[in-house]
Amino acid sequence: QIKDEWSKIEWIRAEDMEIPMMGVESNNISGEIEPNDIKQGTLGDCYFLSSLSVTSENPGRIKDLFESHEVNKEGIFGVNMTKNGEKVQVVVDSYIPCRNGKFIFSSANGNELWVIILEKAWAKLHGSYERIIGGQSH
């Protein structure tokens, strides 16, 4: 049954979403970065999202995770993360997992990309979205 749910996912570029994404038009990955920006979707990764919320109390720390604060025309992002004490750069694109044209995993309360891109980078770092379900914030 889980495989059926995963097979219903469609990948849509943030630039092509019906809801305009702040950042795509302005070439910036975020508006104001605030702890209340984060909305959890259907993925059970609240441990990661709560870490983002705490980190976002100092917006500069979130900005430092991004190699560039501008969206390039290819929709590619370099994200600086740490896994097991090692700094790693993760490269992701702007294709977002959706169902019925809506985000199914995390998103921001505003039209911002930073939450979505960081969650995608975290999933890629661990091998897939499915592998980041459940975890510890430390």
Side-chain angles (χ1 to χ4, degrees):
Q1 186 179 15
I2 291 175
K3 286 187 178 184
D4 289 340
E5 290 301 312
W6 287 93
S7 69
K8 295 176 186 175
I9 294 173
E10 55 185 331
W11 293 83
I12 302 174
R13 284 188 70 168
E15 299 87 334
D16 297 334
M17 295 292 292
E18 290 180 23
I19 302 169
M21 296 294 295
M22 179 185 296
V24 175
E25 297 85 18
S26 65
N27 286 330
N28 189 330
I29 58 155
S30 65
E32 283 192 45
I33 294 173
E34 301 173 319
N36 292 338
D37 284 343
I38 300 167
K39 288 177 25 180
Q40 184 174 358
T42 62
L43 197 62
D45 65 345
C46 59
Y47 69 95
F48 174 69
L49 298 176
S50 65
S51 295
L52 284 185
S53 180
V54 169
T55 304
S56 68
E57 289 189 17
N58 180 341
R61 290 185 176 168
I62 295 292
K63 290 178 183 178
D64 288 345
L65 295 174
F66 289 88
E67 192 63 29
S68 172
H69 299 148
E70 294 185 2
V71 178
N72 58 44
K73 65 181 179 180
E74 292 82 17
I76 304 295
F77 302 89
V79 180
N80 301 308
M81 302 194 117
T82 304
K83 182 176 181 183
N84 300 327
E86 299 284 326
K87 291 187 178 188
V88 179
Q89 186 177 82
V90 181
V91 177
V92 296
D93 60 28
S94 63
Y95 282 91
I96 309 301
C98 299
R99 186 173 296 128
N100 300 322
K102 297 185 191 263
F103 304 125
I104 57 171
F105 300 145
S106 74
S107 61
N109 280 319
N111 291 327
E112 300 171 357
L113 288 173
W114 71 271
V115 177
I116 297 164
I117 297 303
L118 290 176
E119 182 185 55
K120 184 172 184 175
W122 186 247
K124 183 174 181 179
L125 184 62
H126 289 85
S128 71
Y129 279 99
E130 194 169 17
R131 291 191 63 194
I132 64 169
I133 296 172
Q136 301 294 319
S137 58
H138 59 276

PDB file of all heavy atoms in Angstrom, residues 22-58:
ATOM      1  N   MET A  22       7.653  32.607  -4.224  1.00  0.00           N
ATOM      2  CA  MET A  22       8.579  33.701  -3.937  1.00  0.00           C
ATOM      3  C   MET A  22       9.981  33.163  -4.158  1.00  0.00           C
ATOM      4  O   MET A  22      10.286  32.050  -3.778  1.00  0.00           O
ATOM      5  CB  MET A  22       8.448  34.179  -2.504  1.00  0.00           C
ATOM      6  CG  MET A  22       9.409  35.305  -2.163  1.00  0.00           C
ATOM      7  SD  MET A  22       9.337  35.767  -0.444  1.00  0.00           S
ATOM      8  CE  MET A  22       7.677  36.372  -0.308  1.00  0.00           C
ATOM      9  N   GLY A  23      10.797  33.926  -4.769  1.00  0.00           N
ATOM     10  CA  GLY A  23      12.143  33.471  -5.036  1.00  0.00           C
ATOM     11  C   GLY A  23      12.339  33.164  -6.502  1.00  0.00           C
ATOM     12  O   GLY A  23      13.328  33.556  -7.086  1.00  0.00           O
ATOM     13  N   VAL A  24      11.385  32.476  -7.116  1.00  0.00           N
ATOM     14  CA  VAL A  24      11.546  32.164  -8.526  1.00  0.00           C
ATOM     15  C   VAL A  24      11.457  33.442  -9.344  1.00  0.00           C
ATOM     16  O   VAL A  24      12.273  33.691 -10.217  1.00  0.00           O
ATOM     17  CB  VAL A  24      10.496  31.127  -8.992  1.00  0.00           C
ATOM     18  CG1 VAL A  24      10.602  30.902 -10.483  1.00  0.00           C
ATOM     19  CG2 VAL A  24      10.706  29.825  -8.246  1.00  0.00           C
ATOM     20  N   GLU A  25      10.490  34.299  -9.002  1.00  0.00           N
ATOM     21  CA  GLU A  25      10.375  35.560  -9.727  1.00  0.00           C
ATOM     22  C   GLU A  25      11.474  36.542  -9.328  1.00  0.00           C
ATOM     23  O   GLU A  25      11.978  37.286 -10.127  1.00  0.00           O
ATOM     24  CB  GLU A  25       9.016  36.233  -9.469  1.00  0.00           C
ATOM     25  CG  GLU A  25       7.835  35.443  -9.936  1.00  0.00           C
ATOM     26  CD  GLU A  25       7.370  34.422  -8.926  1.00  0.00           C
ATOM     27  OE1 GLU A  25       7.718  34.523  -7.736  1.00  0.00           O
ATOM     28  OE2 GLU A  25       6.659  33.486  -9.322  1.00  0.00           O
ATOM     29  N   SER A  26      11.851  36.533  -8.058  1.00  0.00           N
ATOM     30  CA  SER A  26      12.802  37.524  -7.567  1.00  0.00           C
ATOM     31  C   SER A  26      14.244  37.008  -7.528  1.00  0.00           C
ATOM     32  O   SER A  26      15.127  37.706  -7.075  1.00  0.00           O
ATOM     33  CB  SER A  26      12.393  37.964  -6.157  1.00  0.00           C
ATOM     34  OG  SER A  26      12.496  36.863  -5.263  1.00  0.00           O
ATOM     35  N   ASN A  27      14.459  35.774  -8.008  1.00  0.00           N
ATOM     36  CA  ASN A  27      15.783  35.146  -7.974  1.00  0.00           C
ATOM     37  C   ASN A  27      16.356  35.057  -6.568  1.00  0.00           C
ATOM     38  O   ASN A  27      17.532  35.225  -6.349  1.00  0.00           O
ATOM     39  CB  ASN A  27      16.770  35.874  -8.897  1.00  0.00           C
ATOM     40  CG  ASN A  27      16.482  35.576 -10.339  1.00  0.00           C
ATOM     41  OD1 ASN A  27      15.995  34.505 -10.653  1.00  0.00           O
ATOM     42  ND2 ASN A  27      16.775  36.512 -11.206  1.00  0.00           N
ATOM     43  N   ASN A  28      15.512  34.786  -5.593  1.00  0.00           N
ATOM     44  CA  ASN A  28      15.956  34.681  -4.217  1.00  0.00           C
ATOM     45  C   ASN A  28      15.302  33.452  -3.605  1.00  0.00           C
ATOM     46  O   ASN A  28      14.136  33.199  -3.864  1.00  0.00           O
ATOM     47  CB  ASN A  28      15.537  35.948  -3.465  1.00  0.00           C
ATOM     48  CG  ASN A  28      16.141  36.038  -2.096  1.00  0.00           C
ATOM     49  OD1 ASN A  28      16.396  35.030  -1.457  1.00  0.00           O
ATOM     50  ND2 ASN A  28      16.353  37.254  -1.639  1.00  0.00           N
ATOM     51  N   ILE A  29      16.033  32.705  -2.783  1.00  0.00           N
ATOM     52  CA  ILE A  29      15.488  31.467  -2.250  1.00  0.00           C
ATOM     53  C   ILE A  29      14.514  31.666  -1.110  1.00  0.00           C
ATOM     54  O   ILE A  29      13.845  30.740  -0.713  1.00  0.00           O
ATOM     55  CB  ILE A  29      16.598  30.510  -1.782  1.00  0.00           C
ATOM     56  CG1 ILE A  29      17.460  31.191  -0.728  1.00  0.00           C
ATOM     57  CG2 ILE A  29      17.397  29.989  -2.931  1.00  0.00           C
ATOM     58  CD1 ILE A  29      18.142  30.224   0.172  1.00  0.00           C
ATOM     59  N   SER A  30      14.436  32.849  -0.548  1.00  0.00           N
ATOM     60  CA  SER A  30      13.558  33.028   0.599  1.00  0.00           C
ATOM     61  C   SER A  30      13.083  34.462   0.699  1.00  0.00           C
ATOM     62  O   SER A  30      13.689  35.367   0.156  1.00  0.00           O
ATOM     63  CB  SER A  30      14.302  32.664   1.885  1.00  0.00           C
ATOM     64  OG  SER A  30      15.355  33.575   2.094  1.00  0.00           O
ATOM     65  N   GLY A  31      11.976  34.625   1.379  1.00  0.00           N
ATOM     66  CA  GLY A  31      11.551  35.954   1.795  1.00  0.00           C
ATOM     67  C   GLY A  31      12.181  36.135   3.160  1.00  0.00           C
ATOM     68  O   GLY A  31      13.366  35.930   3.332  1.00  0.00           O
ATOM     69  N   GLU A  32      11.378  36.442   4.144  1.00  0.00           N
ATOM     70  CA  GLU A  32      11.901  36.485   5.510  1.00  0.00           C
ATOM     71  C   GLU A  32      11.941  35.064   6.041  1.00  0.00           C
ATOM     72  O   GLU A  32      11.010  34.295   5.852  1.00  0.00           O
ATOM     73  CB  GLU A  32      11.007  37.349   6.398  1.00  0.00           C
ATOM     74  CG  GLU A  32      11.224  38.825   6.185  1.00  0.00           C
ATOM     75  CD  GLU A  32      10.552  39.636   7.267  1.00  0.00           C
ATOM     76  OE1 GLU A  32      10.680  39.278   8.457  1.00  0.00           O
ATOM     77  OE2 GLU A  32       9.888  40.608   6.912  1.00  0.00           O
ATOM     78  N   ILE A  33      13.018  34.729   6.697  1.00  0.00           N
ATOM     79  CA  ILE A  33      13.164  33.398   7.277  1.00  0.00           C
ATOM     80  C   ILE A  33      12.724  33.476   8.732  1.00  0.00           C
ATOM     81  O   ILE A  33      13.295  34.220   9.525  1.00  0.00           O
ATOM     82  CB  ILE A  33      14.631  32.928   7.162  1.00  0.00           C
ATOM     83  CG1 ILE A  33      14.992  32.746   5.692  1.00  0.00           C
ATOM     84  CG2 ILE A  33      14.840  31.635   7.939  1.00  0.00           C
ATOM     85  CD1 ILE A  33      16.449  32.454   5.447  1.00  0.00           C
ATOM     86  N   GLU A  34      11.680  32.710   9.065  1.00  0.00           N
ATOM     87  CA  GLU A  34      11.114  32.734  10.409  1.00  0.00           C
ATOM     88  C   GLU A  34      10.739  31.316  10.835  1.00  0.00           C
ATOM     89  O   GLU A  34      10.368  30.495   9.992  1.00  0.00           O
ATOM     90  CB  GLU A  34       9.857  33.596  10.442  1.00  0.00           C
ATOM     91  CG  GLU A  34      10.084  35.033  10.014  1.00  0.00           C
ATOM     92  CD  GLU A  34       8.785  35.809   9.890  1.00  0.00           C
ATOM     93  OE1 GLU A  34       7.790  35.262   9.390  1.00  0.00           O
ATOM     94  OE2 GLU A  34       8.796  36.967  10.316  1.00  0.00           O
ATOM     95  N   PRO A  35      10.813  31.022  12.143  1.00  0.00           N
ATOM     96  CA  PRO A  35      10.444  29.686  12.617  1.00  0.00           C
ATOM     97  C   PRO A  35       9.024  29.280  12.238  1.00  0.00           C
ATOM     98  O   PRO A  35       8.754  28.102  11.995  1.00  0.00           O
ATOM     99  CB  PRO A  35      10.588  29.791  14.146  1.00  0.00           C
ATOM    100  CG  PRO A  35      11.573  30.887  14.347  1.00  0.00           C
ATOM    101  CD  PRO A  35      11.328  31.866  13.220  1.00  0.00           C
ATOM    102  N   ASN A  36       8.116  30.237  12.152  1.00  0.00           N
ATOM    103  CA  ASN A  36       6.722  29.916  11.812  1.00  0.00           C
ATOM    104  C   ASN A  36       6.510  29.629  10.330  1.00  0.00           C
ATOM    105  O   ASN A  36       5.401  29.333   9.921  1.00  0.00           O
ATOM    106  CB  ASN A  36       5.799  31.051  12.254  1.00  0.00           C
ATOM    107  CG  ASN A  36       5.722  31.173  13.750  1.00  0.00           C
ATOM    108  OD1 ASN A  36       6.004  30.235  14.481  1.00  0.00           O
ATOM    109  ND2 ASN A  36       5.359  32.353  14.229  1.00  0.00           N
ATOM    110  N   ASP A  37       7.564  29.744   9.537  1.00  0.00           N
ATOM    111  CA  ASP A  37       7.446  29.476   8.101  1.00  0.00           C
ATOM    112  C   ASP A  37       7.174  28.012   7.799  1.00  0.00           C
ATOM    113  O   ASP A  37       6.628  27.678   6.759  1.00  0.00           O
ATOM    114  CB  ASP A  37       8.752  29.847   7.370  1.00  0.00           C
ATOM    115  CG  ASP A  37       8.928  31.334   7.180  1.00  0.00           C
ATOM    116  OD1 ASP A  37       7.937  32.076   7.306  1.00  0.00           O
ATOM    117  OD2 ASP A  37      10.064  31.746   6.891  1.00  0.00           O
ATOM    118  N   ILE A  38       7.577  27.123   8.665  1.00  0.00           N
ATOM    119  CA  ILE A  38       7.639  25.697   8.345  1.00  0.00           C
ATOM    120  C   ILE A  38       6.300  25.001   8.543  1.00  0.00           C
ATOM    121  O   ILE A  38       5.698  25.065   9.618  1.00  0.00           O
ATOM    122  CB  ILE A  38       8.732  25.026   9.193  1.00  0.00           C
ATOM    123  CG1 ILE A  38      10.075  25.679   8.878  1.00  0.00           C
ATOM    124  CG2 ILE A  38       8.783  23.529   8.937  1.00  0.00           C
ATOM    125  CD1 ILE A  38      11.177  25.337   9.845  1.00  0.00           C
ATOM    126  N   LYS A  39       5.862  24.314   7.477  1.00  0.00           N
ATOM    127  CA  LYS A  39       4.656  23.483   7.526  1.00  0.00           C
ATOM    128  C   LYS A  39       5.059  22.056   7.182  1.00  0.00           C
ATOM    129  O   LYS A  39       5.647  21.808   6.144  1.00  0.00           O
ATOM    130  CB  LYS A  39       3.628  23.963   6.509  1.00  0.00           C
ATOM    131  CG  LYS A  39       2.965  25.254   6.859  1.00  0.00           C
ATOM    132  CD  LYS A  39       1.987  25.779   5.828  1.00  0.00           C
ATOM    133  CE  LYS A  39       1.354  24.794   4.908  1.00  0.00           C
ATOM    134  NZ  LYS A  39       0.424  25.416   3.949  1.00  0.00           N
ATOM    135  N   GLN A  40       4.721  21.134   8.060  1.00  0.00           N
ATOM    136  CA  GLN A  40       5.015  19.730   7.781  1.00  0.00           C
ATOM    137  C   GLN A  40       3.945  19.177   6.856  1.00  0.00           C
ATOM    138  O   GLN A  40       2.767  19.474   7.002  1.00  0.00           O
ATOM    139  CB  GLN A  40       5.060  18.915   9.070  1.00  0.00           C
ATOM    140  CG  GLN A  40       5.461  17.473   8.820  1.00  0.00           C
ATOM    141  CD  GLN A  40       5.646  16.686  10.104  1.00  0.00           C
ATOM    142  OE1 GLN A  40       5.508  17.228  11.193  1.00  0.00           O
ATOM    143  NE2 GLN A  40       5.956  15.420   9.971  1.00  0.00           N
ATOM    144  N   GLY A  41       4.363  18.367   5.922  1.00  0.00           N
ATOM    145  CA  GLY A  41       3.428  17.713   5.018  1.00  0.00           C
ATOM    146  C   GLY A  41       3.157  16.289   5.484  1.00  0.00           C
ATOM    147  O   GLY A  41       3.113  16.021   6.688  1.00  0.00           O
ATOM    148  N   THR A  42       3.035  15.373   4.540  1.00  0.00           N
ATOM    149  CA  THR A  42       2.681  13.996   4.874  1.00  0.00           C
ATOM    150  C   THR A  42       3.867  13.143   5.303  1.00  0.00           C
ATOM    151  O   THR A  42       3.681  12.023   5.742  1.00  0.00           O
ATOM    152  CB  THR A  42       2.000  13.317   3.665  1.00  0.00           C
ATOM    153  OG1 THR A  42       2.931  13.289   2.567  1.00  0.00           O
ATOM    154  CG2 THR A  42       0.742  14.035   3.259  1.00  0.00           C
ATOM    155  N   LEU A  43       5.066  13.672   5.185  1.00  0.00           N
ATOM    156  CA  LEU A  43       6.264  12.922   5.541  1.00  0.00           C
ATOM    157  C   LEU A  43       6.533  13.051   7.038  1.00  0.00           C
ATOM    158  O   LEU A  43       6.429  14.135   7.599  1.00  0.00           O
ATOM    159  CB  LEU A  43       7.449  13.482   4.747  1.00  0.00           C
ATOM    160  CG  LEU A  43       8.700  12.634   4.637  1.00  0.00           C
ATOM    161  CD1 LEU A  43       8.414  11.323   3.924  1.00  0.00           C
ATOM    162  CD2 LEU A  43       9.767  13.399   3.867  1.00  0.00           C
ATOM    163  N   GLY A  44       6.890  11.971   7.693  1.00  0.00           N
ATOM    164  CA  GLY A  44       7.135  11.988   9.135  1.00  0.00           C
ATOM    165  C   GLY A  44       8.547  12.418   9.476  1.00  0.00           C
ATOM    166  O   GLY A  44       9.309  11.650  10.061  1.00  0.00           O
ATOM    167  N   ASP A  45       8.901  13.645   9.111  1.00  0.00           N
ATOM    168  CA  ASP A  45      10.254  14.139   9.401  1.00  0.00           C
ATOM    169  C   ASP A  45      10.223  15.372  10.300  1.00  0.00           C
ATOM    170  O   ASP A  45      11.036  16.281  10.156  1.00  0.00           O
ATOM    171  CB  ASP A  45      11.025  14.406   8.113  1.00  0.00           C
ATOM    172  CG  ASP A  45      10.434  15.534   7.273  1.00  0.00           C
ATOM    173  OD1 ASP A  45       9.281  15.940   7.508  1.00  0.00           O
ATOM    174  OD2 ASP A  45      11.137  16.012   6.359  1.00  0.00           O
ATOM    175  N   CYS A  46       9.329  15.352  11.278  1.00  0.00           N
ATOM    176  CA  CYS A  46       9.207  16.509  12.171  1.00  0.00           C
ATOM    177  C   CYS A  46      10.491  16.755  12.952  1.00  0.00           C
ATOM    178  O   CYS A  46      10.788  17.888  13.315  1.00  0.00           O
ATOM    179  CB  CYS A  46       8.014  16.365  13.105  1.00  0.00           C
ATOM    180  SG  CYS A  46       8.081  14.901  14.144  1.00  0.00           S
ATOM    181  N   TYR A  47      11.281  15.715  13.214  1.00  0.00           N
ATOM    182  CA  TYR A  47      12.561  15.897  13.899  1.00  0.00           C
ATOM    183  C   TYR A  47      13.467  16.837  13.098  1.00  0.00           C
ATOM    184  O   TYR A  47      14.155  17.684  13.676  1.00  0.00           O
ATOM    185  CB  TYR A  47      13.267  14.543  14.112  1.00  0.00           C
ATOM    186  CG  TYR A  47      13.756  13.929  12.814  1.00  0.00           C
ATOM    187  CD1 TYR A  47      15.069  14.124  12.399  1.00  0.00           C
ATOM    188  CD2 TYR A  47      12.897  13.204  11.998  1.00  0.00           C
ATOM    189  CE1 TYR A  47      15.513  13.590  11.194  1.00  0.00           C
ATOM    190  CE2 TYR A  47      13.334  12.678  10.808  1.00  0.00           C
ATOM    191  CZ  TYR A  47      14.641  12.878  10.403  1.00  0.00           C
ATOM    192  OH  TYR A  47      15.066  12.369   9.208  1.00  0.00           O
ATOM    193  N   PHE A  48      13.473  16.701  11.779  1.00  0.00           N
ATOM    194  CA  PHE A  48      14.289  17.559  10.923  1.00  0.00           C
ATOM    195  C   PHE A  48      13.689  18.960  10.841  1.00  0.00           C
ATOM    196  O   PHE A  48      14.391  19.960  10.978  1.00  0.00           O
ATOM    197  CB  PHE A  48      14.419  16.957   9.527  1.00  0.00           C
ATOM    198  CG  PHE A  48      15.126  17.851   8.555  1.00  0.00           C
ATOM    199  CD1 PHE A  48      16.479  18.108   8.694  1.00  0.00           C
ATOM    200  CD2 PHE A  48      14.436  18.458   7.517  1.00  0.00           C
ATOM    201  CE1 PHE A  48      17.144  18.955   7.799  1.00  0.00           C
ATOM    202  CE2 PHE A  48      15.084  19.301   6.628  1.00  0.00           C
ATOM    203  CZ  PHE A  48      16.435  19.547   6.775  1.00  0.00           C
ATOM    204  N   LEU A  49      12.380  19.042  10.645  1.00  0.00           N
ATOM    205  CA  LEU A  49      11.723  20.336  10.514  1.00  0.00           C
ATOM    206  C   LEU A  49      11.803  21.142  11.814  1.00  0.00           C
ATOM    207  O   LEU A  49      11.950  22.362  11.774  1.00  0.00           O
ATOM    208  CB  LEU A  49      10.274  20.151  10.061  1.00  0.00           C
ATOM    209  CG  LEU A  49      10.118  19.490   8.689  1.00  0.00           C
ATOM    210  CD1 LEU A  49       8.645  19.265   8.369  1.00  0.00           C
ATOM    211  CD2 LEU A  49      10.798  20.294   7.604  1.00  0.00           C
ATOM    212  N   SER A  50      11.755  20.462  12.969  1.00  0.00           N
ATOM    213  CA  SER A  50      11.892  21.200  14.229  1.00  0.00           C
ATOM    214  C   SER A  50      13.309  21.748  14.371  1.00  0.00           C
ATOM    215  O   SER A  50      13.507  22.840  14.898  1.00  0.00           O
ATOM    216  CB  SER A  50      11.516  20.322  15.429  1.00  0.00           C
ATOM    217  OG  SER A  50      12.413  19.246  15.587  1.00  0.00           O
ATOM    218  N   SER A  51      14.300  21.016  13.867  1.00  0.00           N
ATOM    219  CA  SER A  51      15.676  21.525  13.868  1.00  0.00           C
ATOM    220  C   SER A  51      15.787  22.756  12.976  1.00  0.00           C
ATOM    221  O   SER A  51      16.463  23.728  13.319  1.00  0.00           O
ATOM    222  CB  SER A  51      16.644  20.451  13.382  1.00  0.00           C
ATOM    223  OG  SER A  51      16.677  19.380  14.282  1.00  0.00           O
ATOM    224  N   LEU A  52      15.111  22.721  11.824  1.00  0.00           N
ATOM    225  CA  LEU A  52      15.100  23.903  10.946  1.00  0.00           C
ATOM    226  C   LEU A  52      14.438  25.086  11.632  1.00  0.00           C
ATOM    227  O   LEU A  52      14.895  26.217  11.508  1.00  0.00           O
ATOM    228  CB  LEU A  52      14.346  23.613   9.645  1.00  0.00           C
ATOM    229  CG  LEU A  52      15.023  22.783   8.577  1.00  0.00           C
ATOM    230  CD1 LEU A  52      14.145  22.734   7.330  1.00  0.00           C
ATOM    231  CD2 LEU A  52      16.397  23.318   8.245  1.00  0.00           C
ATOM    232  N   SER A  53      13.373  24.814  12.363  1.00  0.00           N
ATOM    233  CA  SER A  53      12.654  25.891  13.047  1.00  0.00           C
ATOM    234  C   SER A  53      13.556  26.580  14.068  1.00  0.00           C
ATOM    235  O   SER A  53      13.622  27.808  14.124  1.00  0.00           O
ATOM    236  CB  SER A  53      11.405  25.325  13.725  1.00  0.00           C
ATOM    237  OG  SER A  53      10.706  26.343  14.395  1.00  0.00           O
ATOM    238  N   VAL A  54      14.258  25.795  14.854  1.00  0.00           N
ATOM    239  CA  VAL A  54      15.169  26.364  15.847  1.00  0.00           C
ATOM    240  C   VAL A  54      16.299  27.124  15.152  1.00  0.00           C
ATOM    241  O   VAL A  54      16.643  28.243  15.543  1.00  0.00           O
ATOM    242  CB  VAL A  54      15.737  25.246  16.758  1.00  0.00           C
ATOM    243  CG1 VAL A  54      16.875  25.771  17.615  1.00  0.00           C
ATOM    244  CG2 VAL A  54      14.641  24.664  17.619  1.00  0.00           C
ATOM    245  N   THR A  55      16.852  26.543  14.114  1.00  0.00           N
ATOM    246  CA  THR A  55      17.943  27.189  13.378  1.00  0.00           C
ATOM    247  C   THR A  55      17.493  28.502  12.754  1.00  0.00           C
ATOM    248  O   THR A  55      18.245  29.477  12.701  1.00  0.00           O
ATOM    249  CB  THR A  55      18.497  26.248  12.294  1.00  0.00           C
ATOM    250  OG1 THR A  55      18.894  25.022  12.914  1.00  0.00           O
ATOM    251  CG2 THR A  55      19.687  26.849  11.577  1.00  0.00           C
ATOM    252  N   SER A  56      16.236  28.556  12.305  1.00  0.00           N
ATOM    253  CA  SER A  56      15.738  29.745  11.624  1.00  0.00           C
ATOM    254  C   SER A  56      15.527  30.933  12.564  1.00  0.00           C
ATOM    255  O   SER A  56      15.264  32.038  12.108  1.00  0.00           O
ATOM    256  CB  SER A  56      14.449  29.436  10.867  1.00  0.00           C
ATOM    257  OG  SER A  56      13.391  29.170  11.761  1.00  0.00           O
ATOM    258  N   GLU A  57      15.658  30.712  13.870  1.00  0.00           N
ATOM    259  CA  GLU A  57      15.604  31.853  14.783  1.00  0.00           C
ATOM    260  C   GLU A  57      16.768  32.802  14.541  1.00  0.00           C
ATOM    261  O   GLU A  57      16.704  33.963  14.914  1.00  0.00           O
ATOM    262  CB  GLU A  57      15.558  31.367  16.230  1.00  0.00           C
ATOM    263  CG  GLU A  57      14.225  30.722  16.557  1.00  0.00           C
ATOM    264  CD  GLU A  57      14.046  30.412  18.018  1.00  0.00           C
ATOM    265  OE1 GLU A  57      14.786  30.970  18.860  1.00  0.00           O
ATOM    266  OE2 GLU A  57      13.141  29.616  18.332  1.00  0.00           O
ATOM    267  N   ASN A  58      17.820  32.298  13.922  1.00  0.00           N
ATOM    268  CA  ASN A  58      18.932  33.122  13.452  1.00  0.00           C
ATOM    269  C   ASN A  58      18.971  32.939  11.929  1.00  0.00           C
ATOM    270  O   ASN A  58      19.615  32.008  11.432  1.00  0.00           O
ATOM    271  CB  ASN A  58      20.244  32.675  14.089  1.00  0.00           C
ATOM    272  CG  ASN A  58      21.416  33.502  13.635  1.00  0.00           C
ATOM    273  OD1 ASN A  58      21.371  34.174  12.609  1.00  0.00           O
ATOM    274  ND2 ASN A  58      22.489  33.439  14.395  1.00  0.00           N
TER     275      ASN A  58
END
